Amino acid sequence: AVSETIGSGGGGIAALPESDTICRYLTSKYRDVGPSFLPDDPRSNLIARLHDVYVAPVQGCLYKPAGYPFGIHRMRKDAVAELRKQLGIIDGAIEEGGETDGLYLCGREVSLADATLFPTMVFVKYMLPKFDVPENEALPPKIGAWFDAVKEGDPDFARVYDEVHGALEQWDANGRWDTIWMAGVRDAAPETIFDKIVAGDIPASIVRDEKDLLAFEDINPASPAHVLVIPKDRAGLSSLRESTPEHIEILGKLLVAAGEIARDESLGFGDGARIVINDGKDGGQEVPHLHVHVLGGRELTWPPG
């Protein structure tokens, strides 16, 4: 959801999810028309807030092209994982809510939570399987049971489902996901020795082990200090020429790590280092898994060989 920014009395800025603002305006304006949507129900408000604050900002990872930040995430795989985590939290909120006798999330009357969550779940149920999530696991158990029940039991929700689902099918027909990483585009290249090092199947002298990257000493050093820095998940980066905006964050992490390693005197580095990415056959690349060479420990000449 888009956010609406307003000034606060103390001079700060507060962001309100647009869907929440609009829904509350409509339920107030037309309070005597149709259902109330339970604007003061604590459970409904909790679910709607969790959706608007934590799910809406990252759901674009399922359909937006490379280059967009997905909430606080730049890497699509992290955003997909965050989306699934937040759906699990919402599922827990539903489960912890107590009495749920009725078709809707808060019982027998439709709520803001139902109206907020349902369209997004149409998206999620359709799209997550494209990211190798089993179809029966796209929605958590409580959300999935509610989704199926309300789609079948409420004609208004059925109509919303048909409209959104039909639009998604048209996106599919137009090739919307053909160029989306993890959906239409995957890393199908064979494993390399670096994958085996990451998996621990081949020993290496590890100097740095982080969530997304690994650094280890080169077994054939070209200088007294020679460390390789690699992404743990190659994610299509068989060479630097294969990089796309999907890789902005990991490329930055690799270079930051390389710079920090180059300052580490315990590894043999002195006053500076040469930080190199060999790219392709003409560039001298031997392993088709992007890696950054950090060389030092002596004065290096230029040009290289």
Side-chain angles (χ1 to χ4, degrees):
V2 180
S3 289
E4 197 173 273
T5 303
I6 59 173
S8 65
I13 296 295
L16 293 179
E18 186 180 75
S19 63
D20 184 82
T21 305
I22 292 173
C23 284
R24 290 183 185 282
Y25 168 77
L26 292 174
T27 56
S28 174
K29 177 79 172 177
Y30 302 102
R31 64 173 63 90
D32 298 324
V33 180
S36 72
F37 287 95
L38 306 178
D40 299 320
D41 185 280
R43 187 174 2 149
S44 172
N45 288 336
L46 173 61
I47 293 170
R49 290 290 198 280
L50 289 172
H51 170 276
D52 285 347
V53 175
Y54 298 107
V55 171
V58 297
Q59 68 180 21
C61 67
L62 299 179
Y63 57 89
K64 287 185 178 180
Y68 287 86
F70 310 117
I72 63 172
H73 302 286
R74 293 290 312 215
M75 295 170 67
R76 193 181 300 271
K77 69 172 184 176
D78 291 341
V80 171
E82 179 70 16
L83 174 64
R84 298 189 71 194
K85 171 187 170 184
Q86 295 301 334
L87 292 179
I89 291 172
I90 291 176
D91 202 59
I94 296 170
E95 190 169 13
E96 293 163 5
E99 190 271 323
T100 55
D101 179 26
L103 182 63
Y104 304 103
L105 289 172
C106 298
R108 298 180 181 277
E109 186 175 349
V110 66
S111 68
L112 286 174
D114 296 284
T116 299
L117 200 60
F118 186 81
T120 298
M121 294 308 100
V122 182
F123 269 63
V124 169
K125 189 173 177 64
Y126 188 92
M127 296 181 195
L128 262 184
K130 295 181 180 296
F131 293 80
D132 293 330
V133 175
E135 189 170 350
N136 64 347
E137 297 178 16
L139 300 182
K142 286 284 184 179
I143 293 177
W146 157 79
F147 179 86
D148 291 339
V150 80
K151 177 166 66 76
E152 296 300 321
D154 187 313
D156 292 324
F157 280 81
R159 186 170 66 251
V160 170
Y161 174 84
D162 289 341
E163 291 176 357
V164 177
H165 194 267
L168 294 175
E169 289 180 321
Q170 189 59 53
W171 275 11
D172 230 343
N174 293 338
R176 177 76 182 217
W177 286 276
D178 290 354
T179 58
I180 298 292
W181 177 248
M182 295 176 61
V185 181
R186 292 177 171 84
D187 189 340
E191 281 191 348
T192 72
I193 188 173
F194 290 168
D195 294 297
K196 292 182 171 65
I197 291 174
V198 170
D201 297 333
I202 293 179
S205 181
I206 307 296
V207 302
R208 179 172 292 213
D209 187 349
E210 298 180 359
K211 174 177 173 287
D212 296 313
L213 63 86
L214 190 71
F216 49 91
E217 294 180 350
D218 195 308
I219 59 171
N220 295 306
S223 61
H226 188 172
V227 173
L228 302 180
V229 190
I230 68 169
K232 286 185 173 179
D233 180 359
R234 182 175 55 186
L237 281 174
S238 55
S239 69
L240 187 61
R241 287 172 297 164
E242 302 299 324
S243 63
T244 73
E246 295 276 1
H247 302 110
I248 288 173
E249 181 166 321
I250 188 59
L251 290 173
K253 288 182 175 181
L254 292 174
L255 289 180
V256 169
E260 292 174 350
I261 289 167
R263 297 197 299 269
D264 191 339
E265 295 181 358
S266 71
L267 296 173
F269 291 98
D271 186 12
R274 177 166 293 162
I275 298 174
V276 177
I277 298 176
N278 297 329
D279 195 78
K281 180 181 178 182
D282 291 348
Q285 183 178 4
E286 297 178 350
V287 180
H289 183 139
L290 182 112
H291 49 287
V292 180
H293 294 262
V294 187
L295 304 104
R298 65 173 172 83
E299 188 173 340
L300 301 171
T301 60
W302 188 266

